[in-house]
């Protein structure tokens, strides 16, 4: 069983919408199994695998990707600490994506039965998990709108803005320059462009004083300018949803 000190980022994600009760944090502790350590490049889950379970990401970065009909890989998302990975696979008999560690990572397994018990025993906690999933869905909607209509430069800009937002939701102290294992090749995977095109676009964004891409880090030079260029809306989270079950 994981101790609550092992679950800082998940607590932050849920508590952003409502302060957790002692019994809710206790249930989170009881849900999580023994922490697993992943090496960089280690595969946690394989697309098509049967009987997979979700995992909470505690430390590190993990990529979610799928294999296309021609064998090419499409990276869907970079999971950050606090993400519950593998939830989409709960709706299917087989895993819908492959999860691969981008850095050394620490995860804790969360059995499917424990998630079912959470809905029965702590419906407010389950509602908070649902809210967090809808927050991610909202970001996905914005990203898909950009991907479907915008050029490559705006796709890259949107990806960087959203990555920065996600990092800050876990840790508000994250500044405009932040470390990341995401490479230009990963960016090309995620937006469906060639590596050469992505490299050219990043040079354009730097020349426009919007972003400076460095090995292992990204510096946003003008956040609002980058957001406007990407065409992303400025959304405000409802930090205290009135519809949540009473504490």
């Amino acid at each position: 069983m994981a101790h609550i000190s092992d679950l800082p980022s998940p607590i932050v994600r849920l508590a952003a919408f409502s302060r957790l009760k002692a019994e809710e944090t206790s249930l989170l502790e009881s849900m999580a199994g023994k922490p697993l350590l992943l090496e960089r490049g280690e595969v946690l889950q394989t697309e098509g695998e049967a009987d997979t379970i979700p995992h909470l990401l505690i430390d590190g970065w993990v990529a979610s990707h799928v294999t296309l009909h021609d064998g090419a890989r499409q990276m869907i998302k970079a999971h950050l600490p606090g993400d519950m990975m593998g939830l989409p696979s709960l709706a299917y008999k087989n895993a819908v994506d492959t999860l691969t560690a981008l850095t050394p990572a620490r995860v804790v397994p969360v059995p499917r039965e424990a998630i079912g018990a959470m809905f029965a025993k702590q419906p407010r906690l389950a509602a908070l998990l649902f809210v967090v999933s809808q927050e991610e869905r909202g970001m996905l909607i914005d990203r898909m709108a950009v991907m479907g209509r915008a050029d490559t430069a705006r796709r890259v800009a949107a990806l960087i803005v959203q990555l920065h937002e996600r990092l800050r939701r876990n840790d508000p102290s994250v500044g405009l320059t932040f470390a990341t294992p995401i490479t230009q090749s990963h960016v090309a995977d995620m937006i469906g462009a060639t590596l050469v095109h992505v490299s050219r676009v990043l040079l354009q964004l730097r020349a426009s004083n919007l972003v400076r891409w460095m090995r292992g880090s990204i510096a946003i030079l003008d956040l609002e300018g980058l957001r406007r260029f990407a065409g992303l809306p400025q959304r405000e989270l409802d930090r205290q949803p009135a519809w949540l079950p009473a504490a």
Side-chain angles (χ1 to χ4, degrees), residues 227-239:
R227 178 185 294 279
R228 286 194 301 271
F229 178 76
L232 287 172
Q234 183 77 51
R235 300 195 188 279
E236 182 179 358
L237 289 174
D238 183 356
R239 293 293 185 180

Side-chain angles (χ1 to χ4, degrees), residues 177-180 182 212-219:
T177 299
F178 52 92
T180 174
I182 298 296
R212 183 169 68 251
W213 187 284
M214 300 164 285
R215 182 184 294 273
S217 65
I218 299 171

Side-chain angles (χ1 to χ4, degrees), residues 26-227:
S26 295
L27 181 61
L28 283 176
E29 282 187 323
S30 67
M31 288 172 60
K34 182 179 179 181
L36 305 174
L37 300 179
L38 303 177
E39 299 292 334
R40 181 176 179 270
E42 186 172 349
V43 175
L44 176 65
Q45 169 183 291
T46 302
E47 182 181 358
E49 183 180 350
D51 301 321
T52 58
I53 63 173
H55 288 79
L56 268 174
L57 179 56
I58 305 303
D59 299 309
W61 296 50
V62 174
S64 164
H65 54 90
V66 298
T67 302
L68 304 180
H69 65 90
D70 60 357
R73 187 184 72 173
Q74 174 74 54
M75 186 169 167
I76 304 300
K77 181 178 182 178
H79 284 290
L80 305 178
D83 284 358
M84 179 79 86
M85 305 181 296
L87 283 180
S89 298
L90 289 177
Y92 300 90
K93 292 185 176 181
N94 301 87
V96 300
D97 61 350
T98 296
L99 298 173
T100 305
L102 293 172
T103 67
R106 185 162 55 112
V107 304
V108 290
V110 182
R112 293 177 178 227
E113 296 77 10
I115 294 176
M118 175 180 61
F119 277 85
K121 297 178 180 179
Q122 293 289 347
R124 197 181 80 98
L125 184 60
L128 287 171
L129 183 63
F130 172 77
V131 170
V132 169
S133 71
Q134 295 313 298
E135 173 194 355
E136 294 177 356
R137 181 178 174 84
M139 296 187 78
L140 177 62
I141 289 171
D142 289 340
R143 178 183 164 194
M144 294 306 297
V146 172
M147 296 300 164
R149 294 291 183 179
D151 58 26
T152 300
R154 286 174 170 77
R155 294 179 187 182
V156 172
L159 191 67
I160 293 172
V161 170
Q162 288 196 331
L163 180 59
H164 179 256
E165 286 183 350
R166 292 175 60 213
L167 286 167
R168 279 187 54 80
R169 286 178 186 176
N170 280 350
D171 181 2
S173 70
V174 170
L176 293 178
T177 299
F178 52 92
T180 174
I182 298 296
T183 66
Q184 293 185 24
S185 180
H186 291 139
V187 172
D189 273 355
M190 284 191 276
I191 68 170
T194 66
L195 177 57
V196 171
H197 198 174
V198 168
S199 297
R200 186 181 305 123
V201 159
L202 287 170
L203 289 175
Q204 294 171 357
L205 293 176
R206 180 167 183 167
S208 300
N209 292 316
L210 293 174
V211 171
R212 183 169 68 251
W213 187 284
M214 300 164 285
R215 182 184 294 273
S217 65
I218 299 171
I220 298 177
L221 306 178
D222 179 355
L223 180 58
E224 291 311 311
L226 188 64
R227 178 185 294 279

